[in-house]
Amino acid sequence: MQVFLGDPRRFALPGCALTIGNFDGVHQGHRRMLERLRSEARARALPTALLTFEPHPREFFARANPPARLSTLRDKFALLEELGLIDYVFVYRFNHSFSNMSAQGFVDQVLVRELNTRYLLIGDDFQFGSGRKGDFELLASCPHFATEAMPSVLVKGERASSTLVRERLGAGDLDSANALLGGVYRISGKVMHGQKLGRTIGFPTANIHLPHLKPALKGVFVVEVDTPQGRLGGVASLGLNPTVSDTPDYKLEVHLFDFSGDLYGQRLTVRFLKKLRDEERYDDLATLVAQIERDAASAKTYLTSLQREQA
């Protein structure tokens, strides 16, 4: 899978079978769409391509209160790579100029001239261009490519969507969210230097950088973490850490079981298995430590039972 930033015409790419969207989380609906795209691409002897945007259009238009992201751009690339269904990813900068492009201009400039689209697969609710005036009818009228609309994908009777995944994660319903995603929800990031409070209270933590201010879930969780040393169990806090911090920045802190070493600067992937509780503010450090001890014990019990089930 090749990723292209900037004007793709300079790469002299061949015609492609294209789909468009944010693909946040790469959930079951996205996966079915990409499978359909691959099938049509093979029948037409075309490579598959995905057009996505950075930042997300909803983030651009709602900067004061943007929706939570399910996946960073890097994580989205990793999920797409794992599927093995996309040959090219085009990342377009979503800015004032792009947002003001007319629907017809988007078709003529982006789809035809820049991406050389031969087949286009869109979601059944796809709208585009300034004022969201572009729709399926406009795309279908373009003689340069064939257009198909993908029907909604249902998971346990519900339409798979990034919005629904965000809602389930926000409610702490990881089982439902993971069913919609088709896998365990995860976040990756580099380990950064923090306050180093954890090591003074017997629970050293890896502080993982969150590139976006607003995560989709909050609380204390049982986790598995992919590290350079392998996959390790642990307990994680994702939130504002109100007992020891008064900043508005969200933090992902992970205490790994049976591990000692230096992880600074390394990229970890945190897989969220079970929510233990919501975040709370405690009156003193001793009360916080007692709660962390209970959380760690609960997490170890859960991981042990999970290992028995998988044995």
Side-chain angles (χ1 to χ4, degrees):
M1 187 181 83
Q2 294 179 271
V3 177
F4 297 99
L5 306 173
D7 188 344
R9 287 176 293 185
R10 61 192 173 100
F11 301 108
L13 297 173
C16 66
L18 178 73
T19 189
I20 306 170
N22 292 320
F23 282 76
D24 194 18
V26 192
H27 56 63
Q28 293 277 52
H30 295 143
R31 295 176 185 215
R32 299 278 184 84
M33 174 173 277
L34 296 180
E35 289 168 357
R36 173 65 180 163
L37 184 72
R38 174 59 82 185
S39 177
E40 282 293 327
R42 284 175 176 160
R44 299 164 187 267
L46 293 168
T48 55
L50 186 154
L51 169 59
T52 192
F53 309 99
E54 184 66 26
H56 295 183
R58 288 185 180 179
E59 289 181 358
F60 178 81
F61 289 116
R63 296 180 187 180
N65 186 29
R69 275 212 190 189
L70 299 177
S71 52
T72 64
L73 194 60
R74 179 189 286 267
D75 284 348
K76 179 160 58 177
F77 292 159
L79 289 165
L80 291 171
E81 183 78 53
E82 288 171 14
L83 292 178
L85 297 170
I86 292 295
D87 298 310
Y88 305 125
V89 177
F90 303 107
V91 182
Y92 273 49
R93 173 62 59 181
F94 197 89
N95 52 26
H96 283 289
S97 176
F98 194 89
S99 68
N100 289 326
M101 184 182 295
S102 70
Q104 188 64 57
F106 177 80
V107 172
D108 296 339
Q109 177 179 327
V110 176
L111 299 185
V112 176
R113 289 200 296 271
E114 296 182 0
L115 299 181
N116 197 12
T117 306
R118 292 289 179 263
Y119 168 81
L120 178 64
L121 180 64
I122 57 172
D124 55 7
D125 58 350
F126 180 67
Q127 293 177 300
F128 62 97
S130 179
R132 297 172 60 84
K133 294 181 180 178
D135 54 17
F136 177 83
E137 286 70 24
L138 176 60
L139 294 168
S141 69
C142 181
H144 297 279
F145 52 80
T147 303
E148 181 181 354
M150 178 84 178
S152 296
V153 172
L154 300 182
V155 176
K156 297 182 179 180
E158 297 183 296
R159 179 180 181 273
S161 71
S162 299
T163 298
L164 185 58
V165 175
R166 289 187 196 100
E167 291 177 359
R168 296 300 160 80
L169 289 175
D173 187 354
L174 286 173
D175 289 341
S176 179
N178 290 341
L180 291 164
L181 289 168
V184 175
Y185 182 66
R186 69 199 202 196
I187 296 174
S188 74
K190 280 189 176 182
V191 178
M192 310 294 286
H193 289 277
Q195 295 180 333
K196 298 181 174 60
L197 175 64
R199 66 179 62 181
T200 69
I201 59 175
F203 290 94
T205 60
N207 299 282
I208 298 174
H209 174 63
L210 296 173
H212 303 291
L213 297 179
K214 192 174 181 181
L217 74 170
K218 305 175 188 68
V220 177
F221 302 87
V222 184
V223 297
E224 287 181 329
V225 183
D226 292 331
T227 77
Q229 291 76 25
R231 181 170 291 179
L232 303 172
V235 60
S237 171
L238 177 54
L240 298 174
N241 202 349
T243 302
V244 297
S245 175
D246 57 2
T247 71
D249 299 330
Y250 286 93
K251 305 167 188 66
L252 174 54
E253 299 177 292
V254 182
H255 172 67
L256 297 172
F257 301 140
D258 304 317
F259 174 82
S260 62
D262 185 357
L263 292 172
Y264 290 119
Q266 299 188 43
R267 180 168 293 275
L268 307 184
T269 298
V270 183
R271 297 158 45 88
F272 295 85
L273 304 183
K274 178 182 174 59
K275 183 171 182 178
L276 295 175
R277 61 179 177 87
D278 290 329
E279 215 180 19
E280 296 181 47
R281 179 187 292 274
Y282 298 97
D283 294 332
D284 52 62
L285 203 56
T287 306
L288 172 62
V289 171
Q291 182 60 62
I292 293 174
E293 290 174 347
R294 290 192 290 270
D295 294 335
S298 297
K300 289 178 179 178
T301 299
Y302 180 84
L303 290 168
T304 299
S305 64
L306 189 63
Q307 290 170 356
R308 289 172 180 167
E309 290 176 8
Q310 295 173 346

